[in-house]
Amino acid sequence: MSYDECYVKSVIRTIPDWPEPGVQFRDITPLFKDPKALRMISDAFIQRYIDSDITHIASIDARGFLISSIMSYHLNIPLVLVRKKGKLPGETIHQEYQLEYGTAAVEMQTDAVKKGDRVLVFDDLIATGGTILAACSLIKELGAEVSEAAALIDLPDLQGSSKIQDAGVPVHTLLAYAGI
């Protein structure tokens, strides 16, 4: 099945003024009720990485888990989780990052990746880039290399993908939406 951006965009719903006034929230949950759309986006990502040298996918909490688990299965490579601080058992490392009003933190288990691993960082959406950059820091701290950051949606007006690229990490997304 070939990728059809117009079809996928027609399935994603925009919820105005959520979670706060002025925000146009891009809700991807309808994609999971539409097997055709889910297959299109999964296949598009799988085709991009099928012949790549990535060894792991580091997926960001939580919607990123849904698409990246399909990718991991089809690419036959490990999926490692990047979660909100306090959500993973065992020994972890964490990285704080800036939000518009304060900070947040993500963590990974210390045995998730190691030196020599080439990791794709995956999330559902790139806004300000803080979460992906924090995940990249964790991966590098564990000795692995970040090969690329990928997401279903980019919000280029928020400059996140530019910040990620400025940090030396290539970015790939399937969709972009102008405006917040």
Side-chain angles (χ1 to χ4, degrees), residues 93 113-117 137-146:
I93 58 172
V113 295
K114 63 186 180 322
K115 185 176 181 176
D117 292 340
S137 293
L138 293 173
I139 291 162
K140 292 174 185 176
E141 184 177 335
L142 293 172
E145 179 182 339
V146 176

Side-chain angles (χ1 to χ4, degrees), residues 54-61 64-65 68 77-82 108 112-113 118-123 132 135-136 139 146 148-150:
I54 61 171
T55 62
H56 293 70
I57 299 173
S59 187
I60 297 175
D61 201 345
F65 294 169
S68 61
I77 59 174
L79 177 68
V80 296
L81 305 181
V82 179
M108 288 180 71
V113 295
R118 294 188 41 81
V119 182
L120 170 68
V121 177
F122 189 86
D123 203 356
I132 287 179
C136 291
I139 291 162
V146 176
E148 189 166 80

Side-chain angles (χ1 to χ4, degrees), residues 1 21 26-27 60 66 70 72 78 85-86 89 109 117 124 127 137 140 147 154 156-157 168 175-176:
M1 181 178 304
R26 307 305 175 175
D27 181 15
I60 297 175
L66 301 170
I70 296 168
S72 172
K85 192 169 187 278
Q109 293 171 321
D117 292 340
D124 64 318
S137 293
K140 292 174 185 176
S147 63
D154 183 24
D157 293 352
L175 304 168

Side-chain angles (χ1 to χ4, degrees), residues 3-25:
Y3 177 71
D4 181 341
E5 181 177 337
C6 291
Y7 182 79
V8 172
K9 275 191 166 182
S10 76
V11 176
I12 294 170
R13 114 183 116 179
T14 300
I15 299 175
D17 299 318
W18 194 86
E20 59 187 58
V23 173
Q24 297 293 310
F25 184 79

Side-chain angles (χ1 to χ4, degrees), residues 8-170:
V8 172
K9 275 191 166 182
S10 76
V11 176
I12 294 170
R13 114 183 116 179
T14 300
I15 299 175
D17 299 318
W18 194 86
E20 59 187 58
V23 173
Q24 297 293 310
F25 184 79
R26 307 305 175 175
D27 181 15
I28 69 165
T29 57
L31 292 172
F32 303 107
K33 295 187 292 184
D34 187 318
K36 179 180 174 183
L38 184 58
R39 180 169 296 277
M40 278 184 190
I41 61 176
S42 299
D43 287 354
F45 283 118
I46 291 163
Q47 288 305 309
R48 177 169 180 83
Y49 299 109
I50 198 156
D51 292 323
S52 75
D53 62 353
I54 61 171
T55 62
H56 293 70
I57 299 173
S59 187
I60 297 175
D61 201 345
R63 289 177 299 270
F65 294 169
L66 301 170
I67 298 166
S68 61
S69 63
I70 296 168
M71 295 166 55
S72 172
Y73 172 78
H74 284 282
L75 296 172
N76 197 34
I77 59 174
L79 177 68
V80 296
L81 305 181
V82 179
R83 299 213 55 199
K84 295 176 180 86
K85 192 169 187 278
K87 297 290 185 181
L88 287 172
E91 188 176 342
T92 62
I93 58 172
H94 72 276
Q95 178 69 47
E96 289 189 1
Y97 60 97
Q98 293 295 312
L99 297 171
E100 189 174 350
Y101 302 105
T103 62
V106 292
E107 67 182 358
M108 288 180 71
Q109 293 171 321
T110 56
D111 62 353
V113 295
K114 63 186 180 322
K115 185 176 181 176
D117 292 340
R118 294 188 41 81
V119 182
L120 170 68
V121 177
F122 189 86
D123 203 356
D124 64 318
L125 181 136
I126 298 174
T128 63
T131 311
I132 287 179
L133 288 169
C136 291
S137 293
L138 293 173
I139 291 162
K140 292 174 185 176
E141 184 177 335
L142 293 172
E145 179 182 339
V146 176
S147 63
E148 189 166 80
L152 175 59
I153 298 172
D154 183 24
L155 302 178
D157 293 352
L158 297 178
Q159 302 294 309
S161 54
S162 296
K163 290 176 193 171
I164 296 165
Q165 290 171 346
D166 290 347
V169 176

